[in-house]
Amino acid sequence: MENGAGNGVAVAAAAAWNFAPNEALLGLTALSVRGVLGRVKAGMVADGGGARPVVPMGHGDPSAFPCFRTAQEAVDAVAGALRSGEHNSYPTSVGLEPARRSIAKYLSRDLPYELSPDDIYLTSGCTQAIEIICSVLARPGANILLPRPGYLFYEARAAFNGMEARYFDLLPQKDWEVDIDCVQALADKNTIAMVIVNPGNPCGNVYSYEHLAEVAETAQKLGIFVITDEVYAHLTFGERKFVPMGVFGTVVPVFTLGSISKRWVVPGWRLGWIVTNDPNGVFQRTKVVDCIKSYLDISSDPPTFVQGAIPKLLENTKDEFFSKTVEILRETADICWEKLKDINSITCPSKPEGSMFVMVCESLHILFHDARHHEGFANGVRNFRDLLQVKLDLSCLQDIKDDMDFCCRLAKEELVVLLPGCAVGYKNWLRITFAIDPSSLEDGLDRLKSFCLRHSKPAI
């Protein structure tokens, strides 16, 4: 049979097939850090001679670097659970009771009340926790308030479940605090919750007790609850110490999402949790917890042997391990802060105090100059933020169209991977991960500087 005839038969048969893809999924890759980084790295050709390794400064997984290896006690706990032969079965849908009891005890150390195992629901990492919460809350017409810049996976899951995502601003000139006025302006009768991330991804900020209290009071006034993403809990190295949102659970009901991924540097172990910080029982009365349990009945579980390891992992890991991790992050944050000062076309608004990231923008000094002539600049806040986000000014660089183009060309020319700000809702900014080996970070930042110098426009 000739090719033409064969193709015609195939087309005719395909036209008769009674299925189609889920349209909601087709555009969601653009809201995925993985998807965006895939585009950034697509044109990158690794150095065949091995003279220059790829420097991964685009994602938050430092586990490949020996200086960030997890605690030996954690490895022993998982190995012991696996060798015991006691954790080869299916777990209960909400998670093994000893693991939930240990996590409740561990988290209660930072709270003014005691959590119980019934407040803990185990998930396959924090990613599944986000998926579950967005699925549980979804109803026709509902909207959820998300931070900008922020982790767009929340928007992806909200969109998949038919919820509207509305963005409130984080204010760079106020250490990325929540714009409370913006939250109040966005909320309406269909708003169900607001999300905060503390310590911050992608900004590296740490919220004060006073600011979190203001967030809680605002949510209470609006009749919504707070979803707090605390996957970077206690990874702080500035003046501010981590305060969990659950401290304000008597003011407003709080869902806390967390995991062992970041503090123990084991994202591949896929163990996270949803916690109900709700001493007043609001989630029980509204049957939200019943929905969580129903969802867990029809979803996959975190590995049983990892669940089995949790009690010893939490109990036996020495403080020295956590101190060492924080000290390395403090060192790399300092390196990042100091070296970025020497790159004319990139500016960092504030020094990171937590998590593993920092947000930087291009040509900030030019925007400052323009902003002084902008109506209302003396009052700060929104005009400043709008200029940074909306008014693209790449006049320091030639042949660079936007943040995605910047990152793609940087990856291709220098083998340095950064995340473009569009992946976190902040176009023409960059997110830089400093949770890598200090020598690799210095190398990557030096290559970033070389790239910017090479693409700089001649001075006028």
Side-chain angles (χ1 to χ4, degrees):
M1 182 178 294
E2 295 183 2
N3 289 339
N7 289 342
V9 171
V11 170
W17 293 342
N18 192 29
F19 63 84
N22 184 338
E23 296 288 340
L25 285 172
L26 294 179
L28 295 185
T29 298
L31 300 177
S32 160
V33 170
R34 287 180 179 178
V36 173
L37 286 177
R39 290 174 58 194
V40 168
K41 294 186 286 188
M44 186 172 62
V45 179
D47 189 334
R52 294 204 309 172
V54 174
V55 182
M57 297 162 57
H59 70 303
D61 182 2
S63 60
F65 295 94
C67 63
F68 283 105
R69 291 287 163 80
T70 193
Q72 185 59 48
E73 295 84 2
V75 175
D76 291 342
V78 171
L82 189 58
R83 291 194 183 101
S84 72
E86 298 175 2
H87 304 293
N88 297 331
S89 304
Y90 293 122
T92 57
S93 61
V94 295
L96 296 181
E97 196 275 343
R100 292 185 290 116
R101 183 174 299 280
S102 295
I103 292 170
K105 181 180 178 182
Y106 166 73
L107 296 177
S108 294
R109 296 182 303 181
D110 298 321
L111 299 172
Y113 52 86
E114 291 291 323
L115 296 169
S116 80
D118 292 337
D119 293 314
I120 313 296
Y121 303 90
L122 300 188
T123 61
S124 294
C126 196
T127 300
Q128 192 193 31
I130 297 170
E131 173 188 327
I132 292 170
I133 289 297
C134 288
S135 298
V136 163
L137 300 177
R139 59 176 171 78
N143 66 74
I144 185 169
L145 308 185
L146 305 176
R148 180 174 55 197
Y151 185 39
L152 294 189
F153 187 76
Y154 284 95
E155 180 182 343
R157 293 307 314 185
F160 182 72
N161 286 284
M163 277 196 298
E164 178 191 359
R166 298 182 179 180
Y167 282 95
F168 59 86
D169 298 325
L170 303 182
L171 303 171
Q173 76 278 23
K174 296 183 69 176
D175 293 328
W176 300 104
E177 286 188 351
V178 172
D179 185 340
I180 298 295
D181 292 338
C182 188
V183 169
Q184 293 175 329
L186 287 173
D188 60 21
K189 64 180 181 180
N190 291 317
T191 304
I192 53 177
M194 65 178 292
V195 173
I196 64 168
V197 183
N198 182 43
N201 172 12
C203 302
N205 57 295
V206 180
Y207 289 137
S208 67
Y209 179 97
E210 293 76 16
H211 185 60
L212 292 174
E214 189 177 11
V215 169
E217 291 164 3
T218 301
Q220 181 196 54
K221 182 167 64 175
L222 295 172
I224 62 178
F225 62 85
V226 178
I227 301 167
T228 178
D229 186 326
E230 298 178 358
V231 73
Y232 292 97
H234 295 289
L235 290 178
T236 62
F237 36 83
E239 293 183 2
R240 288 179 181 168
K241 301 302 180 185
F242 167 70
V243 178
M245 190 70 206
V247 166
F248 304 97
T250 55
V251 177
V252 63
V254 175
F255 274 126
T256 298
L257 313 184
S259 77
I260 62 172
S261 298
K262 306 302 182 180
R263 199 176 188 204
W264 275 265
V265 202
V266 287
W269 289 9
R270 310 314 300 147
L271 194 289
W273 50 76
I274 299 170
V275 180
T276 54
N277 294 108
D278 181 27
N280 297 323
V282 175
F283 291 140
Q284 289 284 352
R285 292 197 301 274
T286 56
K287 296 188 177 181
V288 172
V289 292
D290 293 332
C291 287
I292 294 176
K293 293 174 184 176
S294 294
Y295 191 99
L296 290 169
D297 280 338
I298 59 171
S299 70
S300 58
D301 309 308
T304 312
F305 67 89
V306 178
Q307 294 188 43
I310 288 299
K312 289 187 177 180
L313 180 147
L314 296 178
E315 180 180 349
N316 295 340
T317 302
K318 295 181 176 62
D319 289 341
E320 290 80 1
F321 166 73
F322 301 124
S323 299
K324 177 186 174 185
T325 301
V326 168
E327 282 304 314
I328 297 171
L329 289 173
R330 179 181 287 113
E331 177 187 355
T332 54
D334 287 344
I335 291 170
C336 204
W337 175 249
E338 293 301 325
K339 280 191 168 288
L340 286 172
K341 291 178 183 179
D342 294 331
I343 305 177
N344 290 333
S345 54
I346 294 176
T347 301
C348 182
S350 60
K351 187 176 182 179
E353 293 193 324
S355 79
M356 301 176 176
F357 309 101
V358 64
M359 285 292 286
V360 301
C361 62
E362 298 162 271
S363 304
L364 183 61
H365 57 286
I366 294 175
L367 293 176
F368 267 131
H369 177 77
D370 291 343
R372 292 190 182 96
H373 303 287
H374 194 283
E375 181 181 357
F377 176 78
N379 295 326
V381 190
R382 190 174 302 275
N383 288 338
F384 173 80
R385 213 280 307 162
D386 287 345
L387 279 169
L388 290 178
Q389 183 187 354
V390 177
K391 189 175 181 181
L392 172 63
D393 190 340
L394 294 170
S395 60
C396 289
L397 301 172
Q398 56 187 346
D399 303 324
I400 302 292
K401 294 182 293 186
D402 54 25
D403 55 335
M404 177 61 79
D405 186 37
F406 182 99
C407 290
C408 289
R409 296 181 69 169
L410 176 67
K412 185 176 182 179
E413 296 177 25
E414 295 288 347
L415 300 182
V416 173
V417 180
L418 302 184
L419 187 72
C422 61
V424 292
Y426 238 42
K427 189 170 178 60
N428 297 319
W429 285 62
L430 306 169
R431 189 190 78 171
I432 297 177
T433 302
F434 51 81
I436 66 174
D437 178 82
S439 62
S440 297
L441 178 63
E442 293 199 44
D443 181 27
L445 292 170
D446 287 341
R447 294 192 215 174
L448 174 61
K449 181 178 180 179
S450 297
F451 175 85
C452 290
L453 287 173
R454 189 164 61 251
H455 289 274
S456 293
K457 287 185 177 180
I460 300 176

